Amino acid sequence: MNQTFTLMEKTKQIFVLLIPILITQLGMFSMVFFNTIMSGKYNSSALAGVAIGSSIWSPIFVGLSAILLAVSPIAAQYFGEKKSHEVSSVVKHGVFLSVIITLIILVMGVFLLNPILDKMALPAQVQETAFRYLVGLGYGILPLFLFNVLRSFIYALGKTRVVMVIMISTLPVNFLLNYVFIFGKWGFPELGGAGAGYATSITYWIVLALTIVIVKTQVPFSTFPVFANLTQISWQKCMEILKIGVPMGLSSFFETSMFACVTILISKFNVTTVAAYQSALNIVSFLYMVPISISMAQTVLVGYEVGARRYKDAHVYSWLGIVLAIVIATVTGLLVVAFRYDVAGLYSNETAVISLTAQFLIFAMFFQISDAIQATAQAALRGYKDVNLAFIMTLIAYWLICLPAGYLLAHFTGFGARGYWIGLTIGLLAAGIALSLRLIYIQKRKFVNAEMKEVGRPY
């Protein structure tokens, strides 16, 4: 990353970081897509088992990986301060925490996985597939979390293209392994949907191996001894990561679990409504890759500028990211609405499902804009390492506004299932406004005062 002086330079800098991150996110999204599609080609039970397994794993992964992604803003601030030793220390302790978190998940899985699946009262074949799929995924938890730590380190240095190349190069491997293990080709056992779990785990080990080679051999990463003295651990450094990471992780977990809860509530409607909701949600989730990628770049840039004590530049990057996310969400939302029947037709051949999906997509456009605001405002606050109050704000918005509003609108008005989309939009917009106000407060009170103090001006 370089210091920028004009708005045009800052916009270019965001896009230099953003585009590779977006491609990486789409690559990770594609792995789940391969798992689902190829399992569905095997049989419906395999598809259902993989879907159930993914629904259990997704909130856990999102929440816990967000803890480790705290390495990014912390390392970015140290990098801006030119404290190379501190950058290496943060990454090393992130590696240590990823091992600890992996062990906790595996132990919990041994005791809780079967009871959770039993309570879901699934058909025997579906339950077996879900169990075996999650066991297969279990072998890839450690490399996935280690990769997230190293990815955060690479992002903190502004070299996002490296991760993009790694992800793109391993996608064909994932596709091939899915084919081999699901269908039992070339002498390998036919594992059905469970094979997708093993294929994904092997892919994560390959991704991790490539990442480690690059970090150890390529400049500028090799100048940071992130793998030196791994046994010398400071709990104070671990707490530095957890202090930022735990609120980030909880916020991500509660957001993901909120959508899971809405999915369960929607399931009380008829099959057409459920299918239409899932189709619309899949489209919105795909488009959400853009604001989430902007937010990742934004966190790094804000953290870097704060570390370098260039608070005005951090201020500009904060709001530039928010504006870019709103503009892109609006444009893509309008395009989806304009071609909503064509887009809905990609997911179903049934006229009723297509029609209802198209209606949902109109509401989803406003939802998407609100989500873009809250995601990028929260990302800017993470760059300032201000996460505790942001977590409380999002918790209130998700669980005390989104869900109650959606439930009331869906069941006590004529909106029906559309009420959930309106409730989600209201809650996310409330989160976006609250987080933006917090961002203004942080920038005006804490960091403007700090800048004045440094130049010896009264405040």
Side-chain angles (χ1 to χ4, degrees), residues 29 55 58 255-267 273-289 336 343-344 347 353 356-365 367-368 371 420-421 424-425 428:
F29 184 84
S55 67
S58 182
E255 181 178 9
T256 308
S257 59
M258 174 195 68
F259 282 104
C261 186
V262 171
T263 299
I264 293 170
L265 292 170
I266 286 283
S267 68
T273 301
V274 173
Y277 171 77
Q278 289 294 343
S279 299
L281 184 62
N282 188 267
I283 295 164
V284 171
S285 298
F286 179 78
L287 294 175
Y288 182 64
M289 294 296 105
V336 167
V343 174
Y347 289 84
V353 174
L356 188 54
T357 302
Q359 292 181 41
F360 283 162
L361 288 175
I362 297 174
F363 292 94
M365 182 188 74
F367 159 86
Q368 185 181 329
D371 207 10
Y420 281 110
W421 285 108
L424 289 169
T425 302
L428 291 172

Side-chain angles (χ1 to χ4, degrees), residues 104-185:
I104 292 172
I105 292 175
L106 293 177
V107 170
M108 291 179 65
V110 169
F111 292 101
L112 297 179
L113 181 54
N114 268 321
I116 290 172
L117 290 172
D118 288 339
K119 285 188 176 295
M120 298 179 76
L122 301 167
Q125 193 172 355
V126 173
Q127 179 170 336
E128 183 184 359
T129 299
F131 176 81
R132 292 171 60 215
Y133 172 72
L134 288 169
V135 169
L137 276 182
Y139 290 101
I141 293 175
L142 180 60
L144 177 58
F145 284 166
L146 289 172
F147 167 67
N148 273 331
V149 172
L150 297 178
R151 176 169 67 129
S152 297
F153 164 58
I154 293 170
Y155 283 176
L157 302 190
K159 306 296 182 181
T160 55
R161 191 176 301 177
V162 173
V163 181
M164 176 192 74
V165 172
I166 293 172
M167 187 56 59
I168 290 176
S169 64
T170 53
L171 277 179
V173 176
N174 180 249
F175 182 85
L176 181 63
L177 289 173
N178 267 301
Y179 176 73
V180 168
F181 286 115
I182 291 174
F183 299 100
K185 302 297 182 180

